[in-house]
């Protein structure tokens, strides 16, 4: 398993380290300390363009080669970034047209990273030239095991630019999609406010305007921007594969905060890498949800440097971040705990960001494995060194194991963009929070979850949850029907099927194309402000542990053959169905026409578990997170204590923990932030 750090050798030369005689001598000490910490890979160079090419056409890759050679002596492998995320100043001076223009028409200036328009031919040409030179110079270096293309594509809100070249590409994209101007006007609904066009070149980009742009145009614009980003990454990946065919290509993605289609991006990569901010305080189930989403981006065709089948965490924060209002220290044991959370959910490579706190630049107070002093005596270094030793023991055990889920949550970026960028019936309804309610209920009951887009083959899942697919293509609805027809259990929820892929509302009832599947029709929907609630009267199908509110959104449902599982308690739709179930083919389609508090989802999952024959991985106290990786006959369980206090676990048979090498019997108090990695035979005997 690869275990490493993100290293910036260019930061550690004289006068920031080393001596005038030996300006790079600090590198040797870094390598020594890395070896002590169990590091076997470093990622480097993702922002080094201005040093590789200080003047146009004057390349210098030798300093990086010297760093790679040094790592070679210590057996440490290297991932190189293509440094296109940070264009050199001379390029912006010579070609100011590469600088991105924002939605107000204002130029974003040079002097930082990400200052480029991804539709710029000039930028593409310069990127290609640089990548050819880099791969030509260092691509055959024996230490090189992977390329990272660019860095954080779309980060700092750079998904869209409004340059002339963007406009040109936008119009070409529209022409390819709609073919004729009549079709474009019809499908986009341009008759509204009479915004019809007579030429493709007249279609606006959604720049700052007095009021709302056409929502169909906005969704198309997001699709176009996403295609642009993916095309830029693809261009780099293909070029690298041409020059170094055996070196896999990755990209550092962030858990779906950036506005491009991450599933599309994963397709152009050999393996997915992620940046994790796990070290900042957040709920373990929210982090777990993000990890499961990222793991799910690429389910097949994975090619990692060592042939393992998971994803990499190419930036696991080694300590505090620097971008919160207050950047508190990360408590002892927490980086380790969250690193195991990533591994437990399928990571097969982990690199810490960053090796040492930089003495220069805007990230100097970011937590590093080493602190500014570089002595290797700090708390963070000890914690990561401990992990380095543990990973060596775990490596053979985890090799080729993967997370297997029988439950899936559907997620579509187009739908997400519609929620984010178009006006909604209820601005307080947040789809990600809605997804999280279902996810928490599954997570807290230790049921593994995958994510998928609605167009994937869902047949391997016993349960598919489709939360609020407001924008749903007709083809997607057909695939969901096929899934249920063949015996699947589908849970749809309110705010689904209100528009199709063209952002046209159905004239055949909501949810569009699925009223037959759910055996009902949503006649009206009632968005509620926060604090105003209806209540659910559960009709006996599942046990209610609490009085469950109906919040934010109430669908008024007309049953058409479905069974009614719950009704609303009051208002003019009191007594009307709120939750329904319909047999369709071999399967069942359940519809929840509202949102509720977390307890409702717990109750629902208890019921769904029985309905679908889903079993929790292990019975342990609620505060312990459990996940499992498996292959053939091997099942490895991870138990993580996210609490600040010990949790008692009872073992009725002796159990073997791979981390400590100890065998536990009877009661064991898992310490605060403690981690166990257990083998299957023993683990199956654990109980609360
Ligand atoms: C991203 C980038 C890193 C660093 C961190 C800081 O992860 O890839 O270079 O800037 O953000 O949050």
């Amino acid at each position: 398993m690869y275990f490493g750090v993100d290293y910036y050798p260019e930061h550690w030369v004289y006068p920031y380290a080393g001596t005038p005689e030996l300006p790079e001598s600090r590198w040797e000490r870094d390598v020594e300390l890395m070896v002590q910490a169990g590091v076997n890979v470093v990622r480097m160079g993702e922002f080094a363009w201005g040093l590789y090419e200080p003047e146009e056409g004057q390349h210098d890759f030798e300093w990086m080669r010297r760093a790679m050679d040094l790592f070679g002596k210590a057996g440490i492998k290297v991932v190189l970034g293509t440094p296109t995320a940070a264009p050199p100043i001379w390029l912006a001076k010579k070609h100011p047209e590469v600088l991105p223009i924002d939605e107000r028409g204002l130029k974003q200036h040079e002097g930082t990273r990400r200052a480029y328009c991804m539709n710029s031919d000039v930028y593409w040409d310069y990127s290609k030239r640089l990548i050819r030179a880099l791969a030509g110079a260092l691509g055959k270096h024996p230490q090189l095991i992977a390329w990272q293309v660019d860095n954080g594509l779309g980060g700092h809100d750079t998904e869209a630019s409004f340059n002339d070249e963007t406009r040109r590409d936008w119009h070409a994209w529209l022409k390819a999609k709609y073919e004729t101007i009549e079709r474009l006007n019809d499908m986009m609904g341009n008759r509204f406010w009479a915004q019809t066009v007579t030429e493709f070149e007249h279609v606006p980009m959604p720049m700052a305007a007095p009021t709302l742009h056409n929502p169909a145009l906005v969704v198309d614009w997001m699709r176009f921007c996403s295609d642009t980003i993916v095309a830029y990454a693809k261009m780099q990946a293909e070029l690298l594969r041409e020059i170094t065919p055996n070196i896999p290509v990755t990209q550092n993605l962030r858990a779906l905060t950036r506005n491009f289609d991450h599933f599309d991006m994963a397709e152009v990569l050999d393996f997915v890498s992620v940046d994790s901010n796990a070290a900042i305080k957040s709920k373990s189930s929210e982090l777990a949800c993000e990890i499961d989403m990222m793991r799910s981006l690429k389910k097949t065709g994975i090619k990692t440097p060592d042939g393992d089948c998971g994803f990499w965490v190419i930036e696991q924060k080694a300590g505090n971040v620097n971008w919160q209002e207050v950047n508190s220290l990360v408590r002892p044991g927490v980086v380790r705990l969250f690193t195991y959370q990533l591994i437990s959910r399928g990571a097969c490579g982990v690199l810490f960001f960053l090796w040492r706190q930089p003495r220069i630049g805007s990230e100097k107070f970011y937590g590093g494995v080493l602190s500014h002093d570089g002595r290797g005596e700090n708390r963070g270094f000890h914690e990561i060194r401990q992990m380095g030793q543990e990973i060596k023991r775990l490596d053979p055990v985890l090799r080729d194991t993967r997370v297997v889920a029988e439950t899936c949550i559907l997620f579509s970026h187009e739908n997400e963009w519609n929620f984010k960028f178009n006006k909604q019936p209820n601005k307080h309804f947040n789809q990600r929070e809605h997804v999280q309610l279902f996810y928490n209920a599954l997570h807290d009951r230790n049921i593994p979850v995958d994510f998928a887009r609605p167009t994937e083959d869902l047949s391997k899942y016993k349960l598919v949850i489709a939360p609020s697919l407001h924008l749903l293509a007709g083809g997607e609805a057909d695939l969901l029907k096929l899934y249920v027809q063949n015996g699947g259990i589908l849970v749809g929820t309110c705010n689904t099927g209100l528009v199709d892929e063209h952002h046209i509302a159905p004239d055949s009832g909501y949810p569009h194309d699925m009223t037959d599947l759910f055996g009902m029709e949503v006649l009206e929907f009632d968005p509620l402000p926060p604090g105003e609630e209806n209540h659910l009267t559960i009709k006996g199908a599942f046990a209610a542990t609490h009085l469950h509110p109906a919040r934010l959104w109430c669908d008024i449902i007309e049953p058409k053959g479905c069974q009614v599982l719950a009704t609303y308690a009051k208002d003019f739709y009191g007594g009307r169905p709120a939750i329904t179930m319909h047999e369709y083919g071999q399967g069942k389609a359940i519809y929840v026409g509202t949102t509720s508090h977390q307890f409702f989802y717990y109750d629902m999952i208890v019921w769904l578990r029985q309905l679908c024959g889903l079993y929790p991985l292990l019975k342990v106290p609620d505060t312990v997170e459990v996940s499992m990786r498996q292959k053939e006959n091997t099942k490895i369980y991870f138990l993580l204590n996210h609490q600040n206090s010990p949790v008692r676990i009872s073992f009725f048979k002796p159990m073997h923990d791979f981390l400590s090498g100890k065998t536990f019997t009877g009661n064991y108090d898992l310490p605060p932030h403690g981690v166990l990695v257990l083998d299957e035979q023993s683990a199956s005997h654990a109980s609360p």
Side-chain angles (χ1 to χ4, degrees), residues 489-674:
I489 296 187
L490 175 76
V491 179
T493 75
C494 63
N495 208 349
T496 285
L498 299 192
V499 294
D500 67 8
E501 66 272 38
H502 303 291
H503 219 282
I504 298 177
D507 56 4
S508 53
Y510 318 121
H512 91 83
D513 275 354
M514 296 202 297
T515 51
D516 53 343
L517 171 62
F518 290 109
M520 59 84 190
E521 188 178 330
V522 174
L523 301 180
E524 291 183 90
F525 50 85
D526 189 20
L528 302 180
E532 201 173 296
E533 291 180 351
N534 204 317
H535 285 98
L536 294 172
T537 307
I538 308 285
K539 296 287 177 194
F542 59 92
T545 53
H546 292 69
L547 178 63
H548 293 311
R551 290 178 175 164
L552 294 172
W553 191 289
C554 295
D555 277 332
I556 302 179
I557 294 172
E558 176 74 15
K560 294 189 170 170
C562 65
Q563 185 188 339
V564 176
L565 303 185
T567 55
Y568 294 108
K570 59 176 191 177
D571 215 322
F572 73 94
Y573 42 88
R576 282 247 188 200
I579 307 176
T580 61
M581 179 161 72
H582 187 229
E583 312 255 337
Y584 186 85
Q586 309 287 305
K588 292 184 174 62
I590 296 155
Y591 189 85
V592 184
T594 187
T595 76
S596 191
H597 60 176
Q598 187 64 67
F599 298 110
F600 167 78
Y601 298 91
Y602 283 134
D603 287 352
M604 187 148 188
I605 291 304
V606 168
W607 172 67
L608 285 169
R609 245 172 53 188
Q610 287 157 359
L611 195 71
C612 307
L614 293 168
Y615 300 97
L617 291 174
L618 213 59
K619 273 192 153 187
V620 290
D622 276 358
T623 51
V624 175
E625 180 177 303
V626 179
S627 11
M628 183 176 75
R629 288 175 56 158
Q630 57 179 290
K631 69 173 171 195
E632 291 139 22
N633 298 323
T634 310
K635 292 187 174 175
I636 309 293
Y637 293 90
F638 292 75
L639 274 58
L640 311 177
N641 179 9
H642 287 280
Q643 304 302 303
N644 235 334
S645 49
V647 183
R648 174 149 302 182
I649 300 174
S650 304
F651 299 109
F652 295 115
K653 284 199 170 180
M655 297 185 63
H656 173 247
D657 170 31
F658 289 100
L659 288 179
S660 59
K662 288 184 189 156
T663 299
F664 300 115
T665 0
N667 287 342
Y668 172 68
D669 290 332
L670 185 58
H673 308 312

Side-chain angles (χ1 to χ4, degrees), residues 8 43 46-47 113 151-152 252 254 258 275 277 315 317 322-323 353 363 366:
Y8 301 93
R43 184 198 63 179
E46 73 273 15
F47 302 117
R113 62 183 180 184
N151 187 84
N252 58 335
R254 215 167 247 259
R258 293 175 185 150
D275 293 355
N277 287 328
E315 290 189 18
K317 300 303 175 291
N322 75 342
W323 42 260
F353 180 87
E363 292 183 339
Y366 227 101

Side-chain angles (χ1 to χ4, degrees), residues 205-219:
M205 297 189 284
M207 298 186 75
T211 185
L212 304 175
H213 278 283
N214 178 349
L217 179 136
V218 170
V219 174

Side-chain angles (χ1 to χ4, degrees), residues 387-600:
M387 286 203 66
Q389 302 312 319
E390 292 169 348
I391 294 294
K392 282 187 190 148
R393 286 199 289 282
L394 280 182
D395 184 19
V397 181
L398 294 181
R399 177 97 211 161
D400 295 330
T401 58
R402 56 172 77 220
V403 175
V404 176
E406 294 178 321
T407 299
C408 177
I409 298 180
L410 299 185
F411 185 86
S412 122
H413 281 283
E414 301 198 339
N415 185 46
E416 187 200 24
W417 297 330
N418 178 61
F419 279 125
K420 269 188 175 171
F421 301 110
N422 284 327
K423 208 161 173 61
Q424 298 303 314
N426 188 347
K427 77 164 185 178
H428 301 285
F429 176 86
N430 180 318
Q431 199 228 7
R432 282 293 284 280
E433 285 170 12
H434 188 44
V435 166
Q436 192 70 47
L437 287 166
F438 277 102
Y439 183 88
N440 291 345
L442 291 156
H443 170 270
D444 294 357
R445 296 293 174 265
N446 303 324
I447 297 176
V449 178
D450 272 353
F451 284 82
R453 31 185 179 187
T455 46
E456 282 178 43
D457 176 10
L458 303 173
S459 56
K460 68 174 172 179
Y461 298 110
K462 288 183 175 170
L463 172 65
V464 170
I465 298 174
S468 299
L469 298 177
H470 178 117
L471 184 151
L472 184 75
E476 292 173 342
D478 289 344
L479 290 169
L480 295 185
K481 285 186 205 174
L482 189 69
Y483 166 71
V484 180
Q485 179 91 43
N486 291 333
I489 296 187
L490 175 76
V491 179
T493 75
C494 63
N495 208 349
T496 285
L498 299 192
V499 294
D500 67 8
E501 66 272 38
H502 303 291
H503 219 282
I504 298 177
D507 56 4
S508 53
Y510 318 121
H512 91 83
D513 275 354
M514 296 202 297
T515 51
D516 53 343
L517 171 62
F518 290 109
M520 59 84 190
E521 188 178 330
V522 174
L523 301 180
E524 291 183 90
F525 50 85
D526 189 20
L528 302 180
E532 201 173 296
E533 291 180 351
N534 204 317
H535 285 98
L536 294 172
T537 307
I538 308 285
K539 296 287 177 194
F542 59 92
T545 53
H546 292 69
L547 178 63
H548 293 311
R551 290 178 175 164
L552 294 172
W553 191 289
C554 295
D555 277 332
I556 302 179
I557 294 172
E558 176 74 15
K560 294 189 170 170
C562 65
Q563 185 188 339
V564 176
L565 303 185
T567 55
Y568 294 108
K570 59 176 191 177
D571 215 322
F572 73 94
Y573 42 88
R576 282 247 188 200
I579 307 176
T580 61
M581 179 161 72
H582 187 229
E583 312 255 337
Y584 186 85
Q586 309 287 305
K588 292 184 174 62
I590 296 155
Y591 189 85
V592 184
T594 187
T595 76
S596 191
H597 60 176
Q598 187 64 67
F599 298 110
F600 167 78

